[in-house]
């Protein structure tokens, strides 16, 4: 049985505290982090003469903080977001076309609450994916569900689900997450069948969830992405752009900058 020692001078006034039973009850209630911290907090309480309600509040704060850290870690793993892309390590000075204030506004995730589209356009390497992913990290921290797919991988999943009923499709991650990132749209044209699957996805998520799309194509070139079908491209764009934030990023490639640095 674990005891918490008290200062020698006050040993008569404050006998050792038996905490094993309390720790066990905390674990039974599912408060594992509070149970783990109990001994330390009680020792600190004796040392600093903290009131009981302060000790309880500190234990609950530790429990909530640890649970949230675990939630974020698990959500990041399940989201498939690439590692290491955050707003903290985005070099805004290198890419002056990115408005930092606008990105800070997006980081509040209001656009996700409003189920708006985020359209990130620009040449390869200018930071489109980094921005979309960094905002995904912010979304997870704020409690939103997130999923990241490169277009090729998303189409692969949607082809497998082509004959799935609408009721079952609603349970698919790419249909029901609050924030869906679709990366690398436009590098290769879609087949007519794939374009139809993409339209089904966009139609379902319209006003239900936020979708971020990174693309190297301007909107006027989108019919070429969707098998040359202008009517289908228009229908997709109509839904995506009804409520949308569009960022057209112009500038040099971050990757080429790193290559230049390494070859100097």
């Amino acid at each position: 049985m674990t005891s918490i020692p008290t200062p020698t001078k006050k040993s008569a006034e404050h006998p050792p505290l038996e905490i094993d039973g309390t720790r066990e009850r905390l674990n039974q209630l599912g408060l594992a982090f509070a149970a783990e911290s109990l001994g330390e907090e009680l020792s600190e309480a004796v040392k600093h003469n903290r009131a009981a309600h302060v000790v309880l509040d500190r234990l609950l704060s530790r429990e909530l903080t640890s649970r949230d850290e675990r939630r974020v870690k698990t959500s990041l793993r399940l989201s498939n977001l690439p590692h290491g892309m955050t707003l903290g390590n985005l070099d805004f000075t290198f890419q002056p076309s990115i408005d930092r204030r606008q990105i800070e506004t997006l980081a509040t995730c209001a656009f996700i609450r409003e189920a708006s589209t985020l359209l990130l356009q620009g040449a390869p390497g200018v930071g489109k994916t980094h921005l979309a992913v960094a905002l995904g990290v912010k979304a997870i921290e704020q409690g939103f569900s997130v999923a990241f797919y490169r277009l090729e991988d998303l189409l692969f999943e949607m082809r497998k689900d082509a004959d799935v009923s609408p009721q079952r499709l609603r349970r698919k991650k790419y249909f029901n997450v609050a924030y869906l990132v679709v990366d690398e749209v436009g590098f290769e044209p879609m087949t007519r069948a794939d374009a139809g699957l993409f339209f089904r996805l966009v139609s379902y998520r319209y006003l239900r969830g936020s979708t971020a799309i990174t693309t190297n194509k301007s909107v006027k070139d989108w019919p070429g992405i969707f098998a040359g079908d202008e009517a289908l491209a228009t229908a997709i764009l109509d839904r995506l752009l009804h409520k949308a934030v569009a960022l057209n990023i112009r500038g040099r490639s971050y990757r080429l900058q790193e290559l230049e640095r390494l070859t100097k």
Side-chain angles (χ1 to χ4, degrees):
M1 184 174 290
T2 307
S3 299
I4 301 300
T6 58
T8 307
K9 291 181 179 179
K10 297 189 177 181
S11 57
E13 300 174 28
H14 302 288
L17 302 175
E18 305 295 348
I19 64 171
D20 283 353
T22 306
R23 183 183 286 120
E24 182 180 351
R25 291 181 183 88
L26 287 170
N27 278 314
Q28 288 174 343
L29 289 169
L31 302 174
F33 298 107
E36 184 180 337
S37 305
L38 181 62
E40 180 185 346
E41 283 296 335
L42 289 177
S43 292
E44 288 291 305
V46 171
K47 181 178 178 180
H48 298 289
N49 197 27
R50 288 177 180 148
H53 73 279
V54 174
V55 178
L56 179 59
D57 184 65
R58 287 172 62 88
L59 280 172
L60 293 176
S61 293
R62 282 196 176 200
E63 179 71 30
L64 290 171
T65 298
S66 297
R67 284 190 179 194
D68 196 54
E69 289 173 353
R70 183 174 61 182
R71 176 193 65 78
V72 168
K73 184 177 180 180
T74 300
S75 296
L76 285 171
R77 177 173 53 82
L78 294 176
S79 71
N80 201 37
L81 288 170
H83 299 294
M85 297 184 183
T86 67
L87 292 182
N89 61 22
L90 179 66
D91 187 355
F92 287 93
T93 60
F94 180 76
Q95 214 63 287
S97 67
I98 299 176
D99 184 343
R100 187 168 195 150
R101 288 173 299 179
Q102 185 179 25
I103 302 306
E104 288 171 350
T105 299
L106 289 171
T108 66
C109 296
F111 78 100
I112 298 177
R113 295 182 186 90
E114 296 166 358
S116 297
T117 300
L118 177 61
L119 182 61
L120 297 156
Q121 302 174 94
V126 295
K128 305 182 300 295
T129 301
H130 193 136
L131 270 175
V133 170
L135 291 171
V137 173
K138 285 290 185 183
I140 285 174
E141 290 173 352
Q142 295 182 42
F144 293 102
S145 55
V146 174
F148 174 93
Y149 290 89
R150 288 182 174 83
L151 177 63
E152 180 182 359
D153 299 326
L154 177 62
L155 290 174
F156 177 77
E157 293 297 323
M158 292 197 296
R159 289 183 202 120
K160 290 194 301 183
D161 298 331
D163 298 323
V164 173
S165 67
Q167 185 175 6
R168 288 181 58 200
L169 271 177
R170 295 189 190 103
R171 297 196 290 269
K172 296 293 180 178
K173 182 164 66 173
Y174 56 82
F175 263 62
N176 64 31
V177 291
Y179 180 64
L180 173 69
V181 180
V182 186
D183 194 33
E184 298 182 346
V185 172
F187 283 93
E188 294 289 340
M190 298 183 200
T191 64
R192 183 65 180 78
D194 286 347
L197 292 173
F198 194 83
F199 172 72
R200 181 176 69 169
L201 172 69
V202 170
S203 294
Y204 180 80
R205 290 186 58 80
Y206 175 58
L207 300 181
R208 289 189 178 95
S210 178
T211 303
I213 293 177
T214 74
T215 179
N216 64 333
K217 301 291 187 185
S218 64
V219 168
K220 64 181 178 61
D221 296 325
W222 276 38
I225 299 175
F226 299 108
D229 191 326
E230 290 193 16
L232 184 60
T234 299
I236 290 171
L237 285 170
D238 180 65
R239 289 159 176 78
L240 287 176
L241 300 182
H242 174 218
K243 292 174 64 177
V245 178
L247 301 179
N248 191 2
I249 305 173
R250 299 182 179 89
R252 297 171 60 207
S253 166
Y254 284 101
R255 289 188 286 271
L256 289 180
Q257 177 203 30
E258 182 63 15
L259 179 61
E260 290 170 5
R261 187 185 66 80
L262 293 173
T263 55
K264 280 183 179 179

